[in-house]
Amino acid sequence: RDQPRSRGLGDVYKRQLSRCLQFNLKPIPVPIIEDQMKKILGEENIEFDSQGIELLSRYARGSLRDGLSLLDQSIAQGNGKVEEESVKSMLGVVDESLVQSLVEITLNQDADLLTQKINDIERMGASFAFVLDEMASLLQRLSLFSLTTQGLDERLIEGYQRLFDQTDDEHLQLLYQIVTIGKRDLLLAPDEKVGFTMTLLLSLIHI
């Protein structure tokens, strides 16, 4: 008589999965998360500034649940308030001026200054993963800046023009790809600083 076929974990997984409801949830846009946070804070009479809420909403990565969890943490860390500086400290965020300087250093292929900036970021206790995210966002804005300044804060135009004068659309696209792939591969590096350093060194080689 034939022996019953043994079932591996893969078979068990598929069988259980077929019995479950599956939901493919779409990321929630940042403005919607922002509005929800502001509504909650208003109802609870908690002070906040718009910059802090924007940061929390972006860092939620499309998840309202994660965003509200971050909001709760930021209230505790900010002594009952939600303010940009305390949110930056909690998230390990750096100022845009530092991100702009990293892009400029990369475009100028200044390895010595790049090493110094990386050490500065480490001393600040900032998240290297978040810095790569911010670099990617800046590169996207620079690419758009070459076509239009619609909706751009006037205070940023001079700095963006200075950066764009040192490069072109093709190199911006290449640098964007290097940065986003480097972010993806951070988990494969011995630590975040090593992965971050190798990503920007690769940028120096190809720019």
Side-chain angles (χ1 to χ4, degrees), residues 42-61:
E43 291 173 351
E44 297 295 326
N45 293 317
I46 295 173
E47 294 182 34
F48 66 90
D49 62 37
S50 297
Q51 294 86 350
I53 296 301
E54 181 186 2
L55 275 174
L56 291 171
S57 301
R58 286 169 52 202
Y59 211 76
R61 297 288 189 268

Side-chain angles (χ1 to χ4, degrees), residues 17 43 49 71 76 109 206:
L17 186 61
E43 291 173 351
D49 62 37
L71 180 63
Q109 298 180 306
H206 290 286

Side-chain angles (χ1 to χ4, degrees), residues 5 42 47 50 64 79 98 103 107 115 153 157 179 191 202:
R5 183 172 67 89
E47 294 182 34
S50 297
L64 181 59
N79 296 317
L98 188 146
V103 171
L107 295 175
T115 302
D153 189 331
I157 291 178
V179 167
D191 59 54
L202 184 63

Side-chain angles (χ1 to χ4, degrees), residues 105-139:
I105 290 166
T106 301
L107 295 175
N108 291 332
Q109 298 180 306
D110 190 335
D112 291 336
L113 190 52
L114 178 62
T115 302
Q116 179 184 323
K117 285 291 183 182
I118 291 172
N119 290 334
D120 289 343
I121 293 170
E122 183 179 39
R123 281 192 292 271
M124 292 165 56
S127 164
F128 285 106
F130 193 87
V131 175
L132 287 176
D133 279 342
E134 290 297 288
M135 287 186 70
S137 295
L138 174 58
L139 291 166

Side-chain angles (χ1 to χ4, degrees), residues 83 89 91 144 176 179 190 193:
E83 297 177 324
S89 175
L91 297 177
L144 189 60
Y176 177 84
V179 167
K193 182 182 179 182

Side-chain angles (χ1 to χ4, degrees), residues 160-173:
Y160 282 19
Q161 187 64 59
R162 185 182 69 253
L163 289 174
F164 192 77
D165 287 344
Q166 301 175 60
T167 186
D168 54 43
D169 287 318
E170 182 179 352
H171 283 100
L172 285 175
Q173 291 293 331

Side-chain angles (χ1 to χ4, degrees), residues 130-159:
F130 193 87
V131 175
L132 287 176
D133 279 342
E134 290 297 288
M135 287 186 70
S137 295
L138 174 58
L139 291 166
Q140 180 269 333
R141 292 194 295 273
L142 283 172
S143 294
L144 189 60
F145 174 75
S146 68
L147 301 174
T148 178
T149 58
Q150 182 84 22
L152 183 64
D153 189 331
E154 291 184 1
R155 294 171 297 178
L156 299 175
I157 291 178
E158 183 179 349

